[in-house]
Amino acid sequence: MKRLLVVALALGLMLMLMPHPSQAQPSQQGFTVLLDPSGEIQQGRTALVRVVGGGVTQARATFLGRLVELHEMRPGEWIGFLAVNMDTSVGAYTLDLFVWVNNEATPTYMNQNITVLYGGFETQDIELSFGLEGLLDPQLNATNFDTIERANNRTTPERLFTTFQQPVAGPPISNFGGWRNYNNGTLTGRHTGSDFRAVTGTPVEAISDGRVVFTRYMPIHGNHVIIDHGWGILSGYSHLSEILVVPGQLVHKGDVIGLSGATGRVQGPHLHFEIAVNDNWVDAIQFLSLNIPS
Ligand SMILES: [Zn+2]
């Protein structure tokens, strides 16, 4: 126990002295830990933790009160996703990491301080037309979002994803996490995805390989598709005019899974695109920018 504590303190000090997010620190334990971004992360964003070492046989972390399994990308390389919920309070947190080497019974423990910063979210006032006011009913909203969250709450142990791409071209026109105020405060909510300009009928592509787990019309999301990419990563595509896949179907990156449209609670045609990681909606654009080893 004492030895474990000494190792933890020594490794903690090494991590504190780590000069650059993407730089590896040498380890006497036979593995290296890389955290990107390191030290600070904004609300609603995802960090990538990598443990690299030939003898590593298992790795897991705890962060923000939950267990995060690391997965073996290839022999000797383990990765995990640290998703910060957009509602996580700003402040200092600890990442605890447990790494088993050569099937030893006791893991090597190390930790690192991570500061969660304000997400810099925008505020939007939205005026829905008279015909859509029924979609501001709080109960209807709660049921809609609960259904989507339940579908997102899965961690498929199998890795299905390859590399990631955007579902349609172009920059987002509305960002993740924004506070939305509908019809002068009739309803307030958060934006769980990123919106892209897309005229009705624009092909919407799967962002990576995965399995379709949800295809349904929802009052808010409209025609909605969810793809499970494995390892706790799921992508969602909303307001589609047409759904072109069925639940259980395996899709490849770039496959057209539907056509954009204006179904559900919208002011006009666009694609609402969202990503959930370990059951947290995260900034999809930031997630796509992560340097995930392929
Ligand atoms: Zn949206």
Side-chain angles (χ1 to χ4, degrees), residues 126-291:
I126 297 174
E127 191 67 31
L128 283 180
S129 62
F130 179 73
L132 293 177
E133 279 182 342
L135 297 178
L136 300 179
D137 175 63
Q139 187 56 49
L140 178 141
N141 273 268
T143 304
N144 178 106
F145 281 90
D146 286 352
T147 303
I148 306 274
E149 279 194 76
R150 275 203 303 277
N152 283 337
N153 184 12
R154 66 174 74 207
T155 303
T156 302
E158 182 190 359
R159 174 190 160 204
L160 301 169
F161 66 85
T162 49
T163 54
F164 290 93
Q165 64 165 38
Q166 285 194 185
V168 292
I173 52 172
S174 179
N175 293 320
F176 171 80
W179 279 280
R180 292 187 154 184
N181 175 17
Y182 295 93
N183 293 21
N184 287 319
T186 304
L187 183 79
T188 54
R190 300 294 295 273
H191 194 212
T192 56
S194 303
D195 293 343
F196 290 88
R197 207 180 296 282
V199 296
T200 296
T202 303
V204 175
E205 298 180 358
I207 61 165
S208 191
D209 292 25
R211 181 180 291 112
V212 177
V213 291
F214 186 102
T215 61
R216 207 184 298 177
Y217 177 82
M218 302 294 293
I220 309 299
H221 287 70
N223 287 323
H224 188 66
V225 170
I226 299 177
I227 300 174
D228 179 4
H229 301 287
W231 294 5
I233 300 163
L234 294 102
S235 58
Y237 313 78
S238 311
H239 312 308
L240 303 174
S241 57
E242 274 190 64
I243 293 174
L244 301 175
V245 288
V246 293
Q249 184 176 340
L250 287 168
V251 292
H252 292 295
K253 172 184 166 182
D255 283 354
V256 177
I257 53 101
L259 303 178
S260 68
T263 56
R265 191 175 64 200
V266 294
Q267 291 170 301
H270 70 279
L271 176 69
H272 169 97
F273 161 58
E274 54 188 41
I275 289 185
V277 176
N278 297 331
D279 202 24
N280 291 293
W281 274 298
V282 295
D283 183 333
I285 305 304
Q286 186 262 338
F287 181 87
L288 295 183
S289 76
L290 284 174
N291 190 20

Side-chain angles (χ1 to χ4, degrees), residues 101-120:
V101 180
N102 297 328
N103 283 316
E104 283 177 352
T106 309
T108 299
Y109 167 75
M110 51 204 301
N111 63 42
Q112 180 168 5
N113 296 324
I114 296 182
T115 303
V116 173
L117 304 173
Y118 173 58

Side-chain angles (χ1 to χ4, degrees), residues 42-145:
Q42 283 182 281
Q43 292 167 324
R45 295 193 164 199
T46 308
L48 187 65
V49 56
R50 293 167 69 189
V51 175
V52 183
V56 176
T57 45
Q58 192 186 349
R60 58 174 51 155
T62 58
F63 185 57
L64 299 173
R66 65 180 295 163
L67 177 69
V68 179
E69 289 289 354
L70 274 69
H71 306 274
E72 194 172 26
M73 198 79 193
R74 61 177 66 83
E77 181 166 6
W78 295 70
I79 71 166
F81 298 93
L82 307 175
V84 179
N85 190 283
M86 64 174 121
D87 292 323
T88 299
S89 299
V90 166
Y93 296 89
T94 304
L95 166 70
D96 297 300
L97 192 61
F98 304 87
V99 181
W100 284 260
V101 180
N102 297 328
N103 283 316
E104 283 177 352
T106 309
T108 299
Y109 167 75
M110 51 204 301
N111 63 42
Q112 180 168 5
N113 296 324
I114 296 182
T115 303
V116 173
L117 304 173
Y118 173 58
F121 304 114
E122 60 200 5
T123 301
Q124 279 186 307
D125 292 313
I126 297 174
E127 191 67 31
L128 283 180
S129 62
F130 179 73
L132 293 177
E133 279 182 342
L135 297 178
L136 300 179
D137 175 63
Q139 187 56 49
L140 178 141
N141 273 268
T143 304
N144 178 106
F145 281 90

